[in-house]
Amino acid sequence: MFAARAGVILTPREILREAYILVDGNKIVDVRLEKPDGIRDLCKYDDYILAPGLVDIHIHGGFGVDLTYSRIKEILELSKRLPEMGITSYIPSTVTDSFEHIEAAIKNINEASRVHAGSRILGIHLEGPYLNPIRGGAQPREHIRKPSLEEFERFYAAGNRLIKRITVAPEIDGGVDFIRYVVKTFKVKVSLGHTDATYEQTLRAIEAGANIITHLFNGMREYHHREPGIIGAALTTRNIYTEIIADFIHLHPATINLVLKCKGPNKTILISDATPGAGLPDGDYILGLNKVIIRDGVAKTEGGSLAGSTIMLMRAVQNVMKLGLSLKDALSMATISPCNAMGFKDVGRIARGCKADFIVLDKQLNVVETYIDGKRIYERNV
């Protein structure tokens, strides 16, 4: 058992100053203002901020690793790098491809999730293959197809129930019925994306059980004042969560402010949507079957479509703070909000009974140390 004292501790409900976290094994057993009795091992962070570890629920890779096509060893290498970025848990996202390639990715990620090496794998997110080709973006159109319950059941079995989410275009044939069946039968979260859905089609998908919008504004029907489409439904439907890529490339700062005014931090999720070139210099990389060209930090396909981002999640937190958001609200969008959307109860927050996953930040919001399951697994070299 040990305790950590920090100048600032961010809990789900409040900001505590000069407070303590008490850790036993891999769990947080108490958060308090008073010094715990009988604690010999006390870590002091009086000039620092203690925050929950970041949770990225939409990431395709980084540092040269492609989570759809990499081997188990490479996936584990990425897991070991992510704590440097403050990410203590993540959900690998796959891209659209043939059944064989997606199945292989699912099996590799499942095997990697069994190894405790760095950032924790919470599940698998299938971004496709049941999308609308006219809104495919960087997703390979030749492999986009109609929903198949039989195929999804085979995916689910291959992942040993690790699939926690799938992105679907609800307007394609059988889309709403597929959403209803997947949510009810497998308890898998369904998000809506790469879609040309109208406002009414989106509402039907939400009624069927979809609860997240995949990277709002990107890869979907544009907003129109007489047909607000999926964007209008997302911004005005109370219980739907919305992902945003806050890199100031995918969305203008004013657009991010619009989302926050409509949804608030509790229903807005920061994601990286990071691709294999994230964390690397400008150059030519591969995302799925596509060549991705990164110039000035912007990733595009050869056809000119945006191909994910090159940022990691902490940069998104820092970016929304530039728009006037408080540290507590900005961090909640990368911790509590994604966990609430996914139904994860014991990660993404500093609270009694939760996993002892937290990060130590300096006043410039640089990651100084990272703890996962109560163990310090990253410490910045000074």
Side-chain angles (χ1 to χ4, degrees):
M1 183 178 294
F2 76 94
R5 184 181 72 200
V8 174
I9 296 179
L10 298 178
T11 74
R13 295 183 179 179
E14 58 188 336
I15 298 175
L16 300 178
R17 300 187 184 278
E18 303 299 329
Y20 298 82
I21 295 177
L22 188 61
V23 175
D24 189 6
N26 68 343
K27 298 285 187 180
I28 296 172
V29 295
D30 202 4
V31 184
R32 58 167 70 178
L33 293 173
E34 304 82 15
K35 182 178 180 180
D37 295 329
I39 295 294
R40 295 181 180 178
D41 190 1
L42 176 63
C43 300
K44 299 178 182 179
Y45 302 108
D46 294 341
D47 295 325
Y48 296 91
I49 301 163
L50 229 70
L54 306 186
V55 182
D56 196 343
I57 66 169
H58 189 157
I59 175 173
H60 293 282
F63 303 105
V65 176
D66 186 322
L67 288 164
T68 302
Y69 300 97
S70 293
R71 297 167 297 178
I72 298 169
K73 178 183 177 182
E74 294 165 331
I75 296 170
L76 293 174
E77 289 172 355
L78 178 62
S79 294
K80 292 175 183 177
R81 290 294 303 271
L82 292 179
E84 300 174 31
M85 310 291 116
I87 298 168
T88 55
S89 298
Y90 73 111
I91 298 181
S93 298
T94 62
V95 296
T96 293
D97 205 320
S98 66
F99 172 82
E100 291 75 18
H101 279 122
I102 295 176
E103 182 187 46
I106 291 168
K107 289 180 177 179
N108 285 338
I109 295 168
N110 180 49
E111 287 299 318
S113 73
R114 301 171 185 270
V115 180
H116 299 289
S119 187
R120 179 187 299 106
I121 293 176
L122 293 173
I124 298 171
H125 166 216
L126 303 182
E127 191 172 6
Y130 314 131
L131 309 174
N132 191 322
I134 70 171
R135 300 291 179 180
Q139 299 277 347
R141 285 169 173 75
E142 63 269 29
H143 290 297
I144 290 176
R145 47 198 182 268
K146 296 178 182 179
S148 167
L149 292 175
E150 179 185 358
E151 182 180 58
F152 179 79
E153 288 173 355
R154 292 172 66 189
F155 285 148
Y156 192 76
N160 193 28
R161 299 185 293 181
L162 192 64
I163 294 175
K164 301 297 182 184
R165 176 183 170 205
I166 182 170
T167 292
V168 177
E171 75 278 10
I172 56 179
D173 291 346
V176 171
D177 289 338
F178 176 85
I179 292 168
R180 185 178 294 110
Y181 182 81
V182 165
V183 170
K184 183 177 180 180
T185 304
F186 299 101
K187 312 302 181 187
V188 168
K189 302 295 182 181
V190 173
S191 52
L192 308 178
H194 292 284
T195 170
D196 201 44
T198 64
Y199 178 84
E200 294 297 334
Q201 288 170 330
T202 304
L203 292 186
R204 286 198 290 272
I206 293 170
E207 290 171 2
N211 75 320
I212 304 171
I213 305 297
T214 297
H215 44 54
L216 183 64
F217 286 96
N218 296 115
M220 58 187 58
R221 173 189 287 254
E222 294 85 359
Y223 180 89
H224 189 279
H225 56 284
R226 286 190 292 272
E227 170 42 67
I230 183 173
I231 293 171
L235 294 177
T236 58
T237 303
R238 172 179 287 185
N239 293 327
I240 199 80
Y241 290 85
T242 54
E243 289 183 349
I244 60 171
I245 308 171
D247 59 358
F248 297 156
I249 297 167
H250 285 78
L251 299 177
H252 189 281
T255 303
I256 296 174
N257 271 326
L258 172 65
V259 175
L260 292 172
K261 287 181 183 297
C262 291
K263 303 300 297 182
N266 291 339
K267 294 295 182 183
T268 305
I269 300 170
L270 292 178
I271 60 167
S272 69
D273 197 18
T275 53
L280 299 177
D282 284 1
D284 296 347
Y285 301 97
I286 298 294
L287 173 63
L289 301 178
N290 290 315
K291 180 180 178 181
V292 173
I293 303 165
I294 299 179
R295 296 290 182 270
D296 299 321
V298 180
K300 292 185 177 182
T301 65
E302 291 181 289
S305 297
L306 285 173
S309 84
T310 62
I311 66 168
M312 286 293 172
L313 202 52
M314 184 55 75
R315 177 62 61 84
V317 171
Q318 294 166 346
N319 282 347
V320 295
M321 288 186 66
K322 293 176 183 176
L323 303 180
L325 218 63
S326 69
L327 173 62
K328 185 176 184 298
D329 284 345
L331 280 169
S332 73
M333 293 160 59
T335 55
I336 300 172
S337 295
C339 289
N340 286 344
M342 292 299 304
F344 301 140
K345 303 296 185 183
D346 63 346
V347 294
R349 62 208 84 197
I350 293 178
R352 185 180 301 170
C354 291
K355 291 188 180 297
D357 298 351
F358 51 89
I359 54 179
V360 181
L361 304 173
D362 64 19
K363 293 178 181 178
Q364 290 72 44
L365 300 187
N366 298 307
V367 179
V368 176
E369 294 183 13
T370 299
Y371 286 78
I372 296 178
D373 280 333
K375 298 178 181 178
R376 185 193 292 118
I377 65 166
Y378 167 71
E379 185 173 3
R380 185 180 67 185
N381 294 325
V382 179

